[in-house]
Amino acid sequence: MGRFDGLPIREELKSFEPYGAPQLDVPILLNVNENPYPPSEETVQDVAASVAEAARGMNRYPDREFLGLRADLAAYLARESGAQLEPEQLWAANGSNEVMLHILQAFGGPGRTALSFAPTYSMYPEYARDTNTAWVTGRRAEDFTLDRSKAIAAISRHRPSVVLLASPNNPTGTALPIDVTEAIVAQAAALGSVVVVDEAYAEFRRAGTPSAVSLLPSYPNLAVSRTMSKAFAMAGGRVGYLAASKQFVDALRIVRLPYHLSAVTQATARAALRHSGELLGRVEQLRIERDETVDWLRSLGLRAVDSDANFVLFGTFADRHAVWQALLDDGVLIRETGPAGWLRVSIGTGEEMAAFRASLERILKTDTGRQT
């Protein structure tokens, strides 16, 4: 018997498994790009007090427009990227995943197409699938950069309703030059398409790399998505957000579920933003560890991609799953993702990275670690 016998599940969903990275109880977790440093006790106490205050009004629905949180997010982007945005230009949801789903609900759908450039975030085609939006991909170059002319040609050929660009890209860590981003946004605007630049890892970008929020005043078809799950060390809070034109945000307000952002979530996010300096305080340390990891991997004769995120894609292996399993056997969980032969490691604490290095060095001396 099939899993869904007797249930009228959509035909195209029958062969799928639920999305998710492995959640295993091992000592070293370096597989889902979290900030490895927990919030301070001061931040924890502020979050707890804010949630307690929200709980006193739990008999009422939350503020469905959450303009207080949106104003706090606008103020944060002003500090972080110099963006001067009105609260009405911000949107938030339960993780940037839900923000992306809102976008595909508003701008995708039957008879419409979403386009991205592979390899990229594995959830993008699932957003398209869930909204009955056709999914097409162009290809990145061998070094995982994006050729401007080829990207524009793909947009002109497929005429998508939605273009999804991750910068820094997941799983490669590659950031898009701002001139390439602008050329793509301009071409999409000429064709009546929207562009979403997914900056989930933006806080980890190297100095001098501008954010796409700098383009927002010129392009009402552009949206820039962010998250508090990565650099903010708030993965458990499930808060993602987006900056765009007011009309873009208004389109998302139509498709969101009523009261989609709980009072507890709003209180938690606002408390975290009050402590942004502390929560982001380890970002520079993680950047340094990331760059040192790239250099170390290359010193072993491996390929490692220059990264503007908090992870490194490395390889290539004759049997990457065997390497992944051997690391797991040593208590180190990384991610088996990306093109064939490659693996991705999140940047952890100094102690966690030392354990990863020791395990990988041992594996590379065995047949399991054979490279291609």
Side-chain angles (χ1 to χ4, degrees):
M1 293 180 63
R3 281 191 301 163
F4 304 111
D5 283 356
L7 298 176
I9 188 169
R10 286 163 44 190
E11 191 65 33
E12 69 271 20
L13 298 180
K14 287 184 177 179
S15 63
F16 282 92
E17 296 292 335
Y19 170 86
Q23 290 185 305
L24 304 174
D25 185 15
V26 297
I28 310 297
L29 298 172
L30 301 174
N31 69 321
V32 287
N33 307 336
E34 299 156 325
N35 187 326
Y37 298 101
S40 70
E41 187 59 28
E42 180 183 0
T43 299
V44 170
Q45 290 299 323
D46 194 0
V47 169
S50 299
V51 169
E53 182 61 30
R56 294 186 177 94
M58 292 282 260
N59 58 312
R60 303 295 185 187
Y61 284 113
D63 175 4
R64 65 172 174 261
E65 297 301 335
F66 52 94
L67 283 170
L69 172 56
R70 291 158 78 182
D72 291 350
L73 289 167
Y76 167 70
L77 285 178
R79 297 192 301 272
E80 195 270 344
S81 297
Q84 300 301 313
L85 303 169
E86 298 296 324
E88 291 82 4
Q89 291 182 260
L90 275 293
W91 187 244
N94 296 284
S96 58
N97 305 96
E98 188 178 33
V99 172
M100 289 288 185
L101 189 60
H102 286 167
I103 293 165
L104 269 293
Q105 287 175 313
F107 299 106
R112 296 187 171 204
T113 298
L115 166 72
S116 193
F117 298 90
T120 193
Y121 185 35
S122 60
M123 277 296 295
Y124 292 161
E126 297 200 18
Y127 305 143
R129 178 201 68 198
D130 293 347
T131 56
N132 286 299
T133 306
W135 174 251
V136 295
T137 55
R139 297 297 304 179
R140 290 173 175 265
E142 183 67 24
D143 62 357
F144 305 122
T145 58
L146 192 56
D147 182 273
R148 178 191 332 207
S149 61
K150 291 181 179 178
I152 289 173
I155 293 168
S156 300
R157 181 169 64 255
H158 295 290
R159 302 182 73 89
S161 297
V162 181
V163 179
L164 298 171
L165 302 174
S167 181
N169 185 46
N170 181 7
T172 66
T174 320
L176 281 173
I178 197 68
D179 61 320
V180 173
T181 302
E182 183 167 17
I184 292 170
V185 175
Q187 178 66 9
L191 297 174
S193 308
V194 300
V195 177
V196 184
V197 179
D198 182 352
E199 292 189 344
Y201 301 94
E203 285 86 356
F204 294 104
R205 65 193 190 276
R206 282 172 281 191
T209 304
S211 166
V213 297
S214 62
L215 302 175
L216 288 174
S218 302
Y219 297 99
N221 68 317
L222 171 65
V224 181
S225 142
R226 293 282 189 100
T227 184
M228 297 182 73
S229 294
K230 307 301 181 184
F232 261 92
M234 287 286 292
R238 302 307 300 129
V239 180
Y241 62 100
L242 169 149
S245 62
K246 291 181 182 179
Q247 56 264 48
F248 194 112
V249 171
D250 276 347
L252 307 187
R253 292 173 62 229
I254 293 171
V255 300
R256 59 95 181 271
L257 293 174
Y259 309 106
H260 73 287
L261 208 58
S262 77
V264 169
T265 299
Q266 292 180 44
T268 299
R270 297 192 72 183
L273 287 162
R274 287 194 292 273
H275 295 269
S276 60
E278 180 253 309
L279 289 170
L280 297 170
R282 300 293 190 113
V283 165
E284 181 56 31
Q285 182 179 344
L286 291 167
R287 285 194 195 109
I288 292 169
E289 185 75 55
R290 171 198 66 201
D291 294 341
E292 290 177 349
T293 299
V294 169
D295 292 341
W296 175 77
L297 288 164
R298 289 172 177 170
S299 75
L300 299 177
L302 291 164
R303 296 171 67 187
V305 182
D306 286 328
S307 176
D308 279 274
N310 66 330
F311 55 81
V312 177
L313 189 73
F314 68 98
T316 56
F317 299 100
D319 186 348
R320 72 171 178 181
H321 181 73
V323 176
W324 177 87
Q325 184 63 58
L327 284 162
L328 182 60
D329 291 343
D330 283 347
V332 180
L333 178 61
I334 66 169
R335 190 72 184 270
E336 187 178 0
T337 189
W342 294 85
L343 294 166
R344 190 191 71 196
V345 60
S346 307
I347 302 304
T349 65
E351 294 79 8
E352 290 170 336
M353 297 310 293
F356 163 71
R357 290 193 293 270
S359 179
L360 185 61
E361 283 186 324
R362 180 191 65 78
I363 294 164
L364 289 175
K365 294 174 183 175
T366 70
D367 287 342
T368 300
R370 185 163 52 89
Q371 302 171 40
T372 58

